[in-house]
Each structure stands twice: as structure tokens, then as C-alpha cells.
Amino acid sequence: YLSLTLPPPPPGVPLLLYANRRDLRLVDAAHGRANATVVVGGLEDAAAVDYVYAQGLVYWSDVSEEAIKRTTFNQSGPGSAAAAQTVVVSGLASPDGLACDWLGRKLYWTDSETNRIEVAELDGSLRRVLFWQDLDQPRAISLDPGRGYMYWTDWGEVPKIERAGMDGTNRAMIIDKEIYWPNGLTLDYSQEKLYWADAKFNFIHRSNLDGTGREVVVKGDLPHPFALTLYEETLFWTDWNTHSIHSCQKETGEDRKKVHSDIFSPMDIHVYSQKRQPLLSSPCSVNNGGCSHLCLLSPITPHYQCACPTGVQLLEDSKTCRDGPTQLLLLARRTDLRRISLDTPDFTDIILPTDDIRHAIAIDYDPVDGHIYWTDDDVRAIRRSYLDGSDAQFIVTSQVNHPDGIAVDWIARNLYWTDTGTDRIEVTRLNGTMRKILISEDLDEPRAIVLDPVAGYMYWTDWGEVPKIERADLDGTERLVMVNTSLGWPNGLALDYTDRMIYWGDAKTDKIEVMCMDGSGRRILVEDKLPHIFGFTLLGDYVYWTDWQRRSIERVHKHTTEREFIIDQLPDLMGLKATYVHQTFGRYYICTPDLRLVAQPEPDP
């Protein structure tokens, strides 16, 4: 790819920066008949583009690569050295819109597949989901950092233009009438006007920044306007059908021109000028506003607000973020592992950086040293790593057939698993040494296994010919059938240590049931809309489960039975584990060299 520079354009004539799917280009609006300069070439599918003029940074989103990238752009003279492309944000789905906050130095983007609007630092760090509800097909996004507002279009079932504070507050729908495909969006900062293009109704309209005072600017002969930008008295827009950039007078819509044509695939467009990014003072520019992490501009006094990366809570001082999430939902999908913070209401799933997962099934977590453990049915192994993907190890690799259930004893530092291929329940040290078969008789299809290390019990389900839930001591002795009636495929099992209850989910009877740990008081908790429960876990007041048919993770409050979706429409869901990241209960013991058991203090909550 190339990274070139142009001599400055004549005064009053802007440079237009546009995305062309295969490249990003600059064209001088006064000499649009001339060839455009390729700023970055060799791209896959560049859709949205923006820049931070003062720092010479150009950003673009690539829908095929599902990423946002940037390069440095130097206007010091012709033929400057090609700058490196760096990936700033990865793991996106369809990043259709992108906007740079040049005052607060942040990056905002829309994703029309995950239906989220997010923000991050300019280097892509400290990602935060700002909006995740009532979004359908969010596309264009524009910022007004001087006033602390952001604007975006949504061309979904209910087409609309919304505005909100750049800190995620004060969200409001400002245009929802006579709107169908609102593609382009731009702001006139000096006149305090909002302009947008509608590709279905073939118009460009403007309004006041709050959506009032709506006026027609251009009507008719707009085949498919896509993106919109503005400079002084002139509007510019790209059109998919004409493969051109057009312009007109912003006030009257007159003096229409075709500025630049024969474009391969014109997408987003911006006037590339310092005038479009006036350098005002920002409350975030001094000491990051006193914030430990994100300092976001706001329309309300003091015109900024501290915020944390997704899933992390802000402490009561309203400045400092916690070290990380305190409660996590860990999820095994067939070919990846994910984590979802339960501390914040957005329930954003983040893929863990673990390699070569072929068919993960069961998952558990050790809150004492922070390892996540999982079984893989395809490589026939039990593996572990830290949450950041480091220290990845194979723990058990021999005589593993179909390891469907796994459980960590965080006190005695052992690992238990069920194997429906070998029909055994086994135990090993957490590092894979000292392996022992605990139960090998009268097991048909053992699946879920959970432990109560303080009381010294293990519980497991068996979905074989005679479905049952059993209990034994942690050494496999004192085996006892707890439930063997009205069961079908008891896939999930969870213990409530506080209330001394056992919960289970059945994929054949399509029920979630509960009973006391002594086997008494059995009752149904949920019995509707449970087509195929698989993974199952409990933390605090909630029972969580995965459902194969609904492709969802749901939770239910164990007392009120109120339900809510955590994730909807995610295929290949397997096991899951809700856990405190650091907090445990009960003491764990270590053996000293003279074989005395010494109690260790509980880790801090």
C-alpha cells in the first residue's frame, strides 16, 4: 500500500478523504477531475473512515477483517515514507460507522451486527460498550466534542436518528418521522445544525441539533446517497449508484456539482481539515480529568465523566475503576472460551485468547490461583490456562474419552471429572499428577459433577437408562442415590452453598428443579421455554444455563423466578460457570514437609 502526501490545497478548497473499499483516497475538491491520491491501499473492505488532524492519524474500519485500523498521515511534503498500518480494535462483527473525538482523544464506533456502540482510547485500549439496547442497524456516527454530544443513524425496523452524551448519558431519539435509510450524517458546528441523507427517500435534510426545525436541503435526483460531510458553505456526499462525490450549497441545496467520479466503491467521506476539528480546551486534557481509566466528554457540567472498560465497575469516588470484574460467567463454546462480566448490565462476551480448541464441553474455575479448566472432547484432554490465555497446559491426556463434566476442589487442590466414554469418575491434583479412579461401577452416562469441599461431598448426574442424581464422599465412598424419579436427561447440576440447596436442569423433561441438600423438598423452579438445557451454574441469587435450541444463555432469580437473557443467538454453546474471580469460602490446606495439614487464610474477597 502507499502512504503519500499532497501539497496544501488553495484556501477555502478542502481535501476530501474517502473510503473506497479497496483503499482510502484524498481528492482536492477544486480539482476533482484529477486522480485522487491513494493514502492507504491494498485494503479488503474499508467502509468507515475518520481522522485526528492534529496528530496526523487516519482511522478506518474494515468490515471483512472485522477490525478498525489506523495509520499516520504526514502532510509535510510529497512522497513521505509509507506508514505502518496497525490494528487498533479487533473482534468486531460489522463496524459500519466510526468517529474520532479529537478533543477527548477517543474512538467511537457502531457495529450493526452486535448492535452496539462502543468507545475506546485512540490506541484501541480500554474498550467500553456505551449502548447495547434498542439498536437495530446503527450506521453513521458523528461527534460534537465541544458540546459533548454524539449522534448516530439507525436504519433498522424503526429507522431513527439518536443523540446522547459522549459519556453514554442523556440518550434521546431526535428524528423518527419520514425516515427510512438514514445513511449519511454530518454536523455544522458553527451553525449548530445536523445534516443527514436518506437513500430510500432520496433527500438531504437538516435540523437543529435537538431534531427540531427540520428543513429540506436537497430533494430528488439523489440515486443512493451514502455518506455526508461539510466544509464552510458546501455539503459533499458520496453516491453508490453514480460512483461519485457530489456537492451543493449547504443553505439552499443549489449549485449542485459532481466533484469527483469513476470511484470504484465510494463509502464514507470526510473533509480533511483542521477547521473541521477546532482545538478547544477539554476537561479531559489535564491529568485525564483525574480518571484512572476513561475520561469521556459530557454535555452536562462538569462536561466530563470518568468511565471504566466494559465489565468493570467505577468505585464510589467516581474516578477510579476496580482492578477488573469481580464476578464472571465463563462460557465454553465448541471452538472458543468466553468470559462475561456480571458486574455490569451489558453482558458483553469477550473471547479468551486460548488456542486450538476443537470441541470444548465442560468448564470450571479455580478462584484461588485464577486458572480456568476445560475439557475437550475432540483432543480428548483436560486443559487449563489463566484468563488472559497465559500458562496454557494440558493437564490430563491419557485414557480420556468423553469428559463431559469437570469440577475444581479449591480447598484440597484437586480436579474431578466424569467420562461418559470410560464410564468413570476420576480425580487428579490440579497439575495433573496423582491420578485416581474414584467410581467405575454402575455408571451409565455420567455428565455434570459439582463439589461441596467444605462438607466433603461430590454430586453428579447420570442420564443413562436409569437417570439419577448421586452423591458420594470426595474419595468416592459412601455413595448415595439422591434422585431417581421423574428424570430424563439431567444435564446440569449446581449447588447453592448458602441456602444448602441443589439445582438441576433436565433437557428431556425441560424443567429446572431444586431440592434441599438432604434430598427433601423437591420442587420445580422453571418449566416453560426450556427446549434443551445443557450448561448449568449458580452464583448468588441466579441460576444460569445454556440452551442448545434457543442458542442462548439465560438466568433466573432463584426466589422471584424472574428470567432474563444474558446472550441470545450464539450457536454451539456448551458448559458454563458463574464464579467470583477471587473470592472463595472455606479454608484450604497445604501439606508441610513433616506432613502436618496447615490451614491457609481465605483469599480476600
Side-chain angles (χ1 to χ4, degrees):
Y1 58 91
L2 302 168
S3 183
L4 301 172
T5 56
L6 288 179
V13 178
L15 286 174
L16 301 172
L17 172 68
Y18 67 92
N20 186 33
R21 289 206 191 266
R22 297 187 297 202
D23 50 39
L24 306 180
R25 298 188 178 211
L26 267 176
V27 66
D28 174 344
H31 305 97
R33 301 266 176 259
N35 286 340
T37 305
V38 176
V39 179
V40 183
L43 304 182
E44 287 283 321
D45 199 355
V49 66
D50 205 357
Y51 62 91
V52 181
Y53 193 90
Q55 291 180 256
L57 293 171
V58 173
Y59 289 81
W60 68 95
S61 70
D62 193 306
V63 179
S64 292
E65 295 191 14
E66 302 180 332
I68 293 170
K69 298 182 165 187
R70 77 174 178 187
T71 190
T72 48
F73 180 65
N74 175 9
Q75 275 196 283
S76 60
S80 72
Q85 295 182 36
T86 52
V87 175
V88 179
V89 186
S90 59
L92 303 173
S94 191
D96 289 352
L98 174 68
C100 295
D101 168 9
W102 66 91
L103 290 183
R105 302 198 168 184
K106 300 288 178 285
L107 189 63
Y108 289 75
W109 68 92
T110 63
D111 194 312
S112 62
E113 199 167 312
T114 61
N115 293 324
R116 295 202 282 245
I117 296 176
E118 297 190 56
V119 63
E121 296 287 355
L122 286 178
D123 63 2
S125 64
L126 307 184
R127 263 176 84 170
R128 175 177 179 80
V129 177
L130 285 177
F131 299 107
W132 64 93
Q133 291 169 311
D134 302 315
L135 292 172
D136 192 1
Q137 293 286 341
R139 173 162 279 164
I141 181 168
S142 290
L143 305 177
D144 185 357
R147 297 176 183 89
Y149 277 111
M150 57 193 282
Y151 300 79
W152 68 91
T153 65
D154 188 319
W155 56 275
E157 289 276 316
V158 182
K160 60 194 172 182
I161 298 174
E162 294 194 76
R163 116 171 148 169
M166 289 166 61
D167 56 352
T169 61
N170 294 71
R171 179 177 176 180
M173 187 153 58
I174 56 173
I175 302 284
D176 63 342
K177 308 251 182 329
E178 203 189 340
I179 182 167
Y180 201 88
W181 285 343
N183 276 343
L185 185 67
T186 195
L187 299 169
D188 184 335
Y189 300 116
S190 60
Q191 301 295 310
E192 299 188 29
K193 296 287 183 183
L194 174 75
Y195 287 79
W196 71 96
D198 193 303
K200 175 74 170 176
F201 291 144
N202 309 112
F203 64 59
I204 295 173
H205 282 193
R206 78 168 156 251
S207 72
N208 297 323
L209 293 178
D210 61 1
T212 61
R214 181 168 173 173
E215 300 171 294
V216 177
V217 182
V218 179
K219 180 78 187 95
D221 197 24
L222 283 168
H224 197 114
F226 186 71
L228 195 60
T229 187
L230 179 146
Y231 185 76
E232 293 179 349
E233 303 307 312
T234 309
L235 271 178
F236 300 89
W237 66 92
T238 55
D239 191 294
W240 277 6
N241 286 20
T242 66
H243 290 267
S244 299
I245 296 169
H246 303 261
S247 71
C248 73
Q249 285 283 339
K250 73 175 183 186
E251 287 296 330
T252 62
E254 292 170 1
D255 195 19
R256 287 177 61 178
K257 295 175 183 161
K258 189 182 278 189
V259 175
H260 181 55
S261 52
D262 300 321
I263 302 170
F264 167 66
S265 182
M267 301 293 285
D268 201 6
I269 186 168
H270 281 281
V271 167
Y272 188 75
S273 165
Q274 183 70 73
K275 286 188 177 176
R276 285 295 284 163
Q277 297 190 340
L279 295 172
L280 312 169
S281 66
S282 157
C284 292
S285 58
V286 180
N287 191 28
N288 197 39
C291 304
S292 69
H293 288 70
L294 291 163
C295 179
L296 302 180
L297 298 178
S298 171
I300 343 168
T301 312
H303 298 297
Y304 76 98
Q305 186 167 282
C306 298
C308 302
T310 293
V312 179
Q313 290 170 324
L314 192 66
L315 296 177
E316 285 176 6
D317 67 359
S318 298
K319 300 273 186 186
T320 316
C321 299
R322 284 188 180 274
D323 291 345
T326 63
Q327 300 179 49
L328 284 180
L329 189 61
L330 299 171
L331 166 64
R333 286 183 72 229
R334 187 179 282 266
T335 53
D336 64 45
L337 306 179
R338 302 188 180 205
R339 64 178 169 89
I340 298 167
S341 169
L342 298 174
D343 290 358
T344 54
D346 52 278
F347 299 139
T348 302
D349 58 307
I350 294 168
I351 298 174
L352 300 180
T354 42
D355 291 335
D356 198 32
I357 294 173
R358 309 278 185 84
H359 191 172
I361 296 190
I363 191 165
D364 203 359
Y365 178 74
D366 174 20
V368 175
D369 74 1
H371 275 112
I372 179 170
Y373 292 80
W374 71 96
T375 66
D376 192 312
D377 213 37
D378 195 59
V379 296
R380 300 189 176 189
I382 298 171
R383 301 176 59 188
R384 78 174 180 186
S385 77
Y386 288 121
L387 286 168
D388 63 4
S390 65
D391 195 34
Q393 302 170 26
F394 283 82
I395 299 299
V396 184
T397 54
S398 65
Q399 293 183 50
V400 178
N401 202 324
H402 289 293
D404 276 7
I406 192 172
V408 170
D409 178 347
W410 65 89
I411 295 177
R413 320 300 296 141
N414 294 322
L415 184 70
Y416 290 72
W417 72 96
T418 62
D419 193 316
T420 186
T422 61
D423 292 331
R424 299 197 297 224
I425 295 174
E426 299 190 57
V427 66
T428 178
R429 302 296 288 163
L430 287 179
N431 62 7
T433 61
M434 313 280 287
R435 179 172 173 178
K436 185 173 198 279
I437 297 169
L438 294 177
I439 297 177
S440 58
E441 291 176 12
D442 200 23
L443 287 176
D444 192 358
E445 300 288 358
R447 171 152 283 156
I449 182 166
V450 290
L451 308 178
D452 183 355
V454 176
Y457 290 127
M458 61 177 173
Y459 300 81
W460 69 92
T461 67
D462 190 316
W463 57 274
E465 293 256 331
V466 183
K468 52 187 183 279
I469 298 171
E470 294 192 72
R471 182 188 86 187
D473 290 354
L474 285 172
D475 61 1
T477 61
E478 305 296 331
R479 187 172 168 183
L480 174 71
V481 174
M482 304 286 290
V483 183
N484 60 3
T485 58
S486 304
L487 293 175
W489 296 330
N491 275 344
L493 192 61
L495 300 180
D496 183 340
Y497 303 109
T498 313
D499 293 351
R500 311 303 297 161
M501 307 294 278
I502 304 174
Y503 290 78
W504 69 92
D506 194 306
K508 195 171 186 183
T509 65
D510 299 332
K511 292 185 176 88
I512 293 173
E513 296 190 67
V514 58
M515 69 181 181
C516 298
M517 281 188 177
D518 62 6
S520 66
R522 177 178 177 179
R523 63 184 173 86
I524 294 166
L525 185 71
V526 184
E527 57 179 336
D528 63 320
K529 298 194 183 118
L530 295 170
H532 198 115
I533 290 178
F534 188 76
F536 198 79
T537 186
L538 180 147
L539 186 68
D541 287 333
Y542 292 96
V543 177
Y544 300 79
W545 68 93
T546 60
D547 193 295
W548 280 0
Q549 280 189 33
R550 296 188 93 181
R551 297 179 165 193
S552 67
I553 302 173
E554 279 188 85
R555 74 176 181 183
V556 65
H557 193 285
K558 66 189 187 188
H559 299 310
T560 68
T561 69
E562 193 176 330
R563 282 167 76 161
E564 70 178 314
F565 281 99
I566 303 291
I567 276 196
D568 201 11
Q569 291 310 308
L570 186 63
D572 300 328
L573 296 168
M574 295 292 174
L576 80 169
K577 172 69 176 187
T579 179
Y580 293 107
V581 177
H582 302 297
Q583 186 178 330
T584 61
F585 71 95
R587 300 196 155 213
Y588 66 98
Y589 295 82
I590 59 168
C591 253
T592 61
D594 58 355
L595 300 181
R596 284 183 302 117
L597 280 177
V598 177
Q600 298 301 294
E602 293 191 39
D604 290 331

